């Protein structure tokens, strides 16, 4: 049984940095990623990373967020810099068993419970 457990998140001022991490267990997950959902909005793709390290970012976070993974530890992290109030959302770790990144949430079979990130202005 696959389990994704997020950690990190919290409250930060605009312009600050924060890191969220996700630990996976249960099986090999070739593509891992992050989505976020703000109140009243749809869940959106933030970043994804393949087993080989190839990655992709959502337009709104390009140049500010960096995704990385440690295959030996089965973890994925998201380093978030230059945070803006509009980055405030619940951040979800997601994973899929295929080795390609997709930006739609139905493409991911496994999900974490989410961690809150709040950016104050």
């Amino acid at each position: 049984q696959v389990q994704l457990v997020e950690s990190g998140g919290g409250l930060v001022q605009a312009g600050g940095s924060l890191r969220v991490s996700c630990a996976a267990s249960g099986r090999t997950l070739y593509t891992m990623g992050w989505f976020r959902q703000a109140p009243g909005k749809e869940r959106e793709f933030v970043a994804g990373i393949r087993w080989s390290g190839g990655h992709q970012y959502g337009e709104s976070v390009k140049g500010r967020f960096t995704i990385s993974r440690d295959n030996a530890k089965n973890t994925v992290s998201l380093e978030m810099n230059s945070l803006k109030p509009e980055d405030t959302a619940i951040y979800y770790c997601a994973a899929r068993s295929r080795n390609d990144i997709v930006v739609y949430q139905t493409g991911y079979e496994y999900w974490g419970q989410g961690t809150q990130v709040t950016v104050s202005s």
Side-chain angles (χ1 to χ4, degrees), residues 65-86:
F65 290 12
T66 302
I67 190 170
S68 61
R69 68 185 293 169
D70 184 331
N71 292 336
K73 295 181 179 178
N74 225 5
T75 59
V76 62
S77 296
L78 185 69
E79 185 73 32
M80 303 179 287
N81 297 314
S82 302
L83 282 162
K84 306 174 182 178
E86 50 263 44

Side-chain angles (χ1 to χ4, degrees), residues 36-117:
R36 67 185 182 186
Q37 188 165 20
K41 294 190 176 181
E42 292 190 357
R43 195 170 295 190
E44 69 167 339
F45 173 79
V46 176
I49 187 166
R50 296 170 57 186
W51 180 265
S52 60
H55 48 73
Q56 183 175 344
Y57 295 95
E59 286 298 322
S60 61
V61 306
K62 277 183 181 177
R64 300 188 298 123
F65 290 12
T66 302
I67 190 170
S68 61
R69 68 185 293 169
D70 184 331
N71 292 336
K73 295 181 179 178
N74 225 5
T75 59
V76 62
S77 296
L78 185 69
E79 185 73 32
M80 303 179 287
N81 297 314
S82 302
L83 282 162
K84 306 174 182 178
E86 50 263 44
D87 294 317
T88 295
I90 298 176
Y91 283 69
Y92 295 92
C93 178
R96 70 191 245 115
S97 52
R98 294 188 61 170
N99 194 25
D100 57 342
I101 299 169
V102 297
V103 301
Y104 47 90
Q105 55 176 313
T106 54
Y108 292 79
E109 301 141 73
Y110 309 104
W111 291 86
Q113 292 297 311
T115 185
Q116 178 71 47
V117 171

